[in-house]
């Protein structure tokens, strides 16, 4: 299969396709992080998206791109929670059946919300790879259309609309800190941002516990990693050994990849709440955490993406009360 990257024209088409279906989320200055980093820092509040994360963008673009016959068949996906929520919402809006397959590592608050949106939920195994096997079965046996959480051009193009919004709102941005998991978000944002401003830096942020894309980039090819419990649960899972899109786009477009400890992620969650008055999940806080830990030292105006706010509130209370430092 010939590699065809997602382009700015694809992302602009996605933006037109999902107009009115997603929110152009605000970008706000962060006084506290500006003082810490020594450069202007802005927060892109994507956790205020309709379903609580950026995933609605890619899911909405993918569903809107389906043919009438494909919509009739229904959609299926493996998810660590947020993609499933976004796809469930997008499918319900279009009157399309949705089946979401998840591992036992997905927090219950995300599972229950997907059920509330009317999707069929299947809990399979202890990893994203286990859940993907059930997706493959449903595609083969029931004819459902797979909408992957990241390695799909329509999904990556939908996520890339964030990159356009960032440079519209902060045209002097020199660095973007973006969550890195399967790579759909990072690849999409980097494709948009670098097409509009070639010298901008896009840095992927992930956790030390099971960072599949970082391991794959280091190896020069997609590799398997053990999926481990982490505060940044939305960043868990592999990138697929047969990855067709996001691995190569991340390899070509990302300027750096930074990994965080669990304690650093917890500190990011606490800072988001205490200083910014924003409640974000672990994955949503990794950009903040990278600045706090001095693992990223930007030289100019920086935009930090807060990607999701679908945190288990019991966990949030535990962390902000200082009990999560050893998580």
């Amino acid at each position: 299969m010939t590699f065809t990257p997602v382009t700015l024209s694809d992302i602009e088409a996605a933006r037109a396709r999902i107009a009115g279906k997603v929110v152009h989320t605000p970008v706000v200055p962060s006084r506290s992080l500006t003082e810490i980093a020594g450069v202007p820092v802005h927060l892109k509040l994507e956790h205020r998206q309709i379903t609580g994360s950026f995933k609605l963008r890619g899911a909405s673009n993918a569903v809107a791109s389906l043919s009438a016959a494909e919509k009739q068949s229904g959609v299926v996906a493996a998810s660590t929670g947020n993609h499933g929520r976004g796809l469930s919402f997008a499918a319900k809006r279009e009157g399309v059946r949705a089946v979401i397959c998840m591992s036992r590592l997905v927090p219950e608050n995300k599972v229950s919300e997907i059920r509330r949106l009317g999707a069929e939920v299947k809990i399979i195994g202890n990893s994203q790879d286990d859940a993907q096997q059930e997706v493959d079965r449903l595609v083969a046996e029931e004819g459902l259309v797979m909408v992957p959480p990241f390695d799909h051009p329509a999904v990556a193009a939908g996520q890339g609309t964030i990159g356009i919004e960032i440079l519209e709102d902060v045209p002097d941005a020199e660095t973007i800190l973006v969550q890195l998991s399967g790579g759909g978000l990072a690849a999409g944002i980097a494709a948009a941002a670098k097409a509009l401003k070639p010298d901008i830096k896009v840095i992927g942020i992930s956790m030390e516990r099971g960072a599949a894309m970082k391991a794959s980039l280091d190896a020069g090819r997609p590799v398997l990693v053990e999926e481990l419990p982490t505060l940044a649960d939305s960043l868990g899972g592999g990138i697929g050994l047969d990855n067709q899109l996001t691995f190569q786009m991340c390899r070509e477009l990302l300027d750096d990849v930074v990994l965080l400890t669990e304690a650093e992620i917890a500190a990011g969650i606490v800072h988001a709440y205490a200083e910014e008055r924003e409640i974000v999940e672990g994955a949503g806080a990794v950009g903040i955490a990278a600045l706090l830990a001095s693992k990223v030292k930007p030289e100019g105006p920086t935009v930090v993406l807060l990607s999701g706010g679908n945190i288990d509130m019991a966990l949030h209370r535990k962390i902000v009360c200082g009990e999560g430092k050893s998580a």
Side-chain angles (χ1 to χ4, degrees), residues 6-8 11 25 44 46 54 57 155-167 175-180 183-197 200-204 246 249-250 253-255 303-307:
V6 170
T7 65
L8 181 60
I11 296 167
T25 51
K44 173 65 167 171
E46 191 63 18
F54 72 93
R57 295 175 184 261
V155 171
Q159 322 304 27
T161 59
I162 297 172
I164 296 176
E165 291 180 12
I166 285 174
L167 286 179
T175 302
I176 300 174
L177 304 187
V178 59
Q179 288 71 11
L180 180 62
L185 176 66
I189 288 178
K194 287 179 176 285
L196 295 168
K197 191 173 184 178
I200 197 169
K201 291 184 178 180
V202 181
I203 299 175
T246 59
M249 286 186 68
C250 286
L253 295 173
L254 293 183
D255 294 280
V303 177
V304 177
L305 180 64
L306 307 189
S307 60

Side-chain angles (χ1 to χ4, degrees), residues 3-60:
F3 170 69
T4 305
V6 170
T7 65
L8 181 60
S9 61
D10 297 324
I11 296 167
E12 290 173 333
R15 193 183 194 192
R17 197 174 290 120
I18 64 179
K21 297 179 180 180
V22 303
V23 174
H24 180 137
T25 51
V27 176
V28 300
S30 168
R31 177 193 55 79
S32 65
L33 292 173
T34 294
E35 291 178 357
I36 290 168
V39 298
V41 176
H42 295 77
L43 304 177
K44 173 65 167 171
L45 307 183
E46 191 63 18
H47 64 301
R48 297 188 185 178
Q49 193 54 256
I50 299 167
T51 58
S53 93
F54 72 93
K55 290 287 192 176
L56 182 61
R57 295 175 184 261
S60 295

Side-chain angles (χ1 to χ4, degrees), residues 190-215:
K194 287 179 176 285
L196 295 168
K197 191 173 184 178
D199 60 345
I200 197 169
K201 291 184 178 180
V202 181
I203 299 175
I205 316 292
S206 196
M207 68 290 176
E208 290 183 352
R209 294 175 62 83
M213 183 61 80
K214 178 65 163 75

